[in-house]
Amino acid sequence: MTVTESLARELGLTAEEYGRVLSIMGRTPSLTELGIFSAMWSEHCSYKSSRKWLRQLPTTAPWVVHGPGENAGVVDIGHGYVAIFKIESHNHPSFIEPYQGAATGVGGILRDIFAMGARPIANLNALRFGAPENPMTRRIIDGVVRGIGGYGNCVGVPTVGGEINFHQAYDTNPLVNAMTVGLARKDKVFLSAAVGVGNPVVYVGSRTGRDGIHGATMSSAEFDKEALSKRPTVQVGDPFIEKLLIEACLELMATDAILSIQDMGAAGLTSSAVEMASKGGVGITLDLDAVPQRETGMSAYEMMLSESQERMLMVLRPDRTDIARQIFEKWELDCAIIGHLTETGHLIVKHRGVVEADIPLTPLVDQAPVYDRPFVPQPPAAPLGKVYAPLSLDDMLLRLLESPDLCSRAWVWNQYDSTVGGQTVFRPGMADAAVVRVEETSIGLALTTDCTPRYCQANARVGAAQAVAETWRNITATGARPLAITDNLNFGNPEKPEVMGQIVGAIEGMAEACKALDFPVVSGNVSLYNETRHADGSTRAILPTPVIGGLGLLEDIHCAVGLGLHEGEDLVLIGATQGVLGQSLWLREILGQEEGDPPCIDWHAERRNGDFVRKSIQSGDITACHDISDGGILVAVAEMIMASGVGCELESPDSGIRPEAFWFGEDQSRYLVCTENGAYLCEQAAQADVPARIIGKTGGHALIFPSGVTISITRLKSAHMSFFPALMAG
C-alpha cells in the first residue's frame, strides 16, 4: 500500500500533522511507521486538545507518591502500603459491541493497576445511557452490565460501587468509565521507564491477533452512520487469562527480575514500546518474528497496532529471563524475548528480516501535536423563573424515587460480585462510598465515582467543581479522609469552539475545587469526540461529563458509618438550605424543565461542614450519614429509610422557604446524620460555626411528613425498585 497524504488522513492525521511526520522522518514513512505515528498522535494517546489545560490541575501532596504520567496514581496510606488507582473510558467500543466493549474496559484498567505491582482489590464504574424509551438503550445496558460483571466476577475482583445516568444525549454514544483500585507495598511499586541498554524486552500474556486494530484512532473521531460496521476495532477479552496474568506478574514481581513494565493498552505494542523507551531515554529494537501470534500471516503493521487483550511488555534483568519463562509457563501463558534496549534513541521494528520501521523516539513523543484550540465560553444559563409544585410532597417523592436517575440500581449491582475477596465492608447501596478493608490492618479505603452532567451542561465550570465536591462529600460521609482523585473527562468534538469551551471550563472548575479541598489529581483519562454524525450531516455532543473517581482513608475501619438509620435517634440536617431548584432533578422529573443555574459551592462552608461531620463520625457522635445531592433532603431521607428498614417522622421546617424548594432543593455542602443526641450534636456544630438543626425522629415502619401524611417503607421500596425490572423486561 502506497503511503500518501490521503492515506494519512484516513488514519486520522491532518495534512499539517502528516507534513510534520515527513519532516521528522526526512522521507516518506513506511505503512508501519505511518500507523505508529497515527496511533501515538491520536487524541486518545496524545491528549493534543486537552494537554495545555490539564497542566493547571494540582497533582501533588505529601501523601502523593506518583501523580499523572505513570500507569496509575499512587498515594501513601500508611502501614507500609500504597493505594494505586485510575479510571479510564471505553465509550466508543461499548456502543459498537456493548458486552466486549465494557468487558475489555474493565480488563484494561485492571492491567494498569497490577502493572505497577498492586493487587487489584476493587472495581467501580460510571455509566451513562440514552433515553430509556430509545430502542437501543435496553440492548446497550444489557451488554454493558453483563460485560462488566462477566469480566470482573471471573477475574475475582469485587465491583463495589458506581453510578448511572440516563439522557437522550447519550442515545448513540454511551459512556462506560471503569475504575480499579489496587494495593502494593510502598517499596515494591513498579514503573514503566525502560532501564539498561542491552536488557531484554519481554512479551508476556495472550497471543496477538487482529482484534482491536485502530482502536485508539477509532476512539479519537466522531462516529458516522457506519459506526456499527467497526466491530473489528473492538477488542475481545478473556477474564480467565487476565486472572492468570495477574498471578504470574505478581509472582514475578516478588523476585528482582523486572526492571520496568507496561500494559499493552491503546495502540498495543506500539504505545507500550514507545512509552517505555521514551521515558527511559533509550532506544528499543523489536523483532516481530518472536511475537506470539494466534493468527497466520500477520503483517508488521497489524502486530504493532493490534489491541489484543491480556498482554504486557517488560524489561527484565538479563540473568532472570529463565525465571520469568518458568513462571509464565507454570501459569500457561506465553513469554518471549522480542527485543532489546539500545543506545540509538530509535524505535526499530524488524519483521521477516526487513526493517519495517525506524523512528526517532524523541521527536515522535516531543513533537506530538498540542493544540490551543479556539473556544467559546459557555453562555450563562437562562434564569429559573417562579415554579410551583403541581403535586403533593408524597406524590412528588414517589415520582422521583421511581425516576431513571434515582431508582434502585439493584438490578445492576446484583449482577456484580461485590464481596469476592472478603474485604468489602460496605457494598453498593449501604453507604455513600464503598468501603474496602486493607487486609491485615485496621485501615480501610472509601471509594466512589461521581458527576452530575446536567449541572455541567448548564455551567461546566460549576458542574465539574461540584463533581469534585460530591466525591469529597461521599468519602467524608463514611468517616474517611479524602486523599486524591482520578478523573475521566468525557466530552464532544474539541474542534467545535462551544465544546472546547466546556472542556476549558470543566478543567478550571476541577482545579478550583481540588485546590480548595486539598484533593489532588493523581491520574486520569480524556475521552473526546463523543458525538454521533447523523444522516443529514449534523452531529450532537453528549452532555459534558467530567467523571471524578475518589479515594479516601479510614484510619480505623470500625469507625466507618453507612447511610442506614438507627431506631429511636435524631435526624439532623447539617448545612444551610436556601432551596436551590435550578437544574434539580425535581425540576426535570416533575416539571419537565432543564433550566436555571446549577447550585454553587461556598468552599469555606464545604470544608467546615465536611470536617465537622468527619470528626463527629470518628468520635462516635454520628451513627449514620448521607450527603444530600440529587433530589434534595426528602430523597436523602427516603434513601436512608430504605437502606435500613427504619422509618422517620419529619418535623416542619419553618424555614420561610416554599415546601418543594426546602425538601427537593439541591443546595450543596449538606449532610443528613443520625445521632443519639441531636441537641448535643447541634451544640457542637454551633461551636464549629456549622449550621445544624434536628428535622426528624427515627423509628417505626414509615416516612411521616410534618402534615401527618404517611408513606410505608414497603411503598417507598416498591416505587424505588420498579424502573430497571420494567425497562429490562421490555
Side-chain angles (χ1 to χ4, degrees), residues 169-246:
Y170 305 108
D171 274 351
T172 50
N173 202 129
L175 301 185
V176 177
N177 296 171
M179 174 176 164
T180 295
V181 181
L183 284 176
R185 300 297 305 184
K186 188 176 180 180
D187 58 354
K188 292 290 285 185
V189 174
F190 289 79
L191 305 180
S192 56
V195 177
V197 169
N199 283 336
V201 176
V202 179
Y203 172 120
V204 300
S206 292
R207 297 185 176 188
T208 294
R210 290 186 170 93
D211 52 319
I213 294 173
H214 287 306
T217 51
M218 179 269 290
S219 294
S220 303
E222 293 178 348
F223 277 172
D224 56 26
K225 62 183 179 181
E226 306 299 328
L228 290 176
S229 70
K230 295 182 177 180
R231 279 192 172 87
T233 64
V234 178
Q235 311 93 322
V236 178
D238 185 335
F240 298 103
I241 295 295
E242 182 98 339
K243 175 61 174 174
L244 299 178
L245 187 59
I246 291 173

Side-chain angles (χ1 to χ4, degrees), residues 188 190 250-258 320 323-324 327:
K188 292 290 285 185
F190 289 79
L250 292 179
E251 183 175 340
L252 185 59
M253 286 167 169
T255 73
D256 63 349
I258 299 176
R320 297 292 190 269
I323 293 175
I327 289 173

Side-chain angles (χ1 to χ4, degrees), residues 362-629:
T362 297
L364 172 63
V365 175
D366 293 351
Q367 294 184 36
V370 177
Y371 292 122
D372 186 5
R373 296 196 186 277
F375 67 92
V376 175
Q378 274 183 292
L384 181 64
K386 290 185 178 181
V387 293
Y388 298 98
L391 302 168
S392 63
L393 288 177
D394 54 316
D395 285 339
M396 291 188 292
L397 173 61
L398 292 171
R399 283 270 297 272
L400 284 169
L401 291 180
E402 65 187 9
S403 67
D405 279 7
L406 283 176
C407 69
S408 169
R409 272 71 173 125
W411 182 90
V412 175
W413 73 55
N414 284 341
Q415 297 185 54
Y416 305 153
D417 189 336
S418 61
T419 59
V420 61
Q423 301 306 309
T424 305
V425 177
F426 289 145
R427 295 178 288 104
M430 294 177 63
D432 281 3
V435 173
V436 179
R437 187 190 315 271
V438 176
E439 198 168 6
E440 298 181 353
T441 74
S442 62
I443 63 177
L445 300 177
L447 314 169
T448 185
T449 57
D450 295 288
C451 184
T452 309
R454 65 182 186 279
Y455 289 177
C456 299
Q457 179 74 358
N459 187 320
R461 181 181 180 119
V462 171
Q466 187 274 341
V468 174
E470 174 77 3
T471 302
W472 190 87
R473 217 176 291 143
N474 281 332
I475 290 170
T476 293
T478 68
R481 176 170 62 92
L483 291 183
I485 67 169
T486 181
D487 64 77
N488 206 139
L489 307 183
N490 306 274
F491 291 88
N493 184 344
E495 296 167 42
K496 297 179 178 179
E498 64 274 17
V499 172
M500 197 65 219
Q502 294 173 341
I503 296 170
V504 171
I507 294 173
E508 289 177 342
M510 287 172 56
E512 176 188 1
C514 290
K515 291 171 184 174
L517 299 174
D518 203 14
F519 204 24
V521 180
V522 296
S523 60
N525 174 249
V526 177
S527 175
L528 305 182
Y529 294 95
N530 288 292
E531 305 204 10
T532 300
R533 187 177 299 277
H534 299 285
D536 63 0
S538 65
T539 61
R540 182 177 63 190
I542 61 163
L543 303 185
T545 312
V547 173
I548 305 299
L551 179 144
L553 177 65
L554 283 150
E555 296 288 355
D556 184 353
I557 197 73
H558 302 98
C559 293
V561 300
L563 58 84
L565 297 176
H566 293 251
E567 188 86 27
E569 296 192 348
D570 292 322
L571 187 65
V572 177
L573 170 64
I574 303 291
T577 297
Q578 295 178 326
V580 178
L581 288 172
Q583 298 299 329
S584 66
L585 268 184
W586 177 86
L587 189 69
R588 190 178 82 186
E589 296 297 330
I590 304 302
L591 297 185
Q593 300 177 23
E594 294 182 343
E595 297 180 11
D597 289 316
C600 292
I601 301 173
D602 178 331
W603 295 112
H604 294 294
E606 186 73 58
R607 284 295 295 261
R608 187 173 60 242
N609 296 358
D611 290 347
F612 172 76
V613 167
R614 190 182 314 108
K615 179 181 177 182
S616 299
I617 292 173
Q618 292 169 355
S619 65
D621 293 330
I622 289 175
T623 60
C625 183
H626 192 13
D627 101 294
I628 299 170
S629 54

Side-chain angles (χ1 to χ4, degrees), residues 75-94:
V75 294
D76 192 339
I77 60 172
H79 297 262
Y81 285 99
V82 291
I84 301 180
F85 68 110
K86 188 181 183 183
I87 190 169
E88 283 199 341
S89 61
H90 233 217
N91 302 334
H92 289 88
S94 297

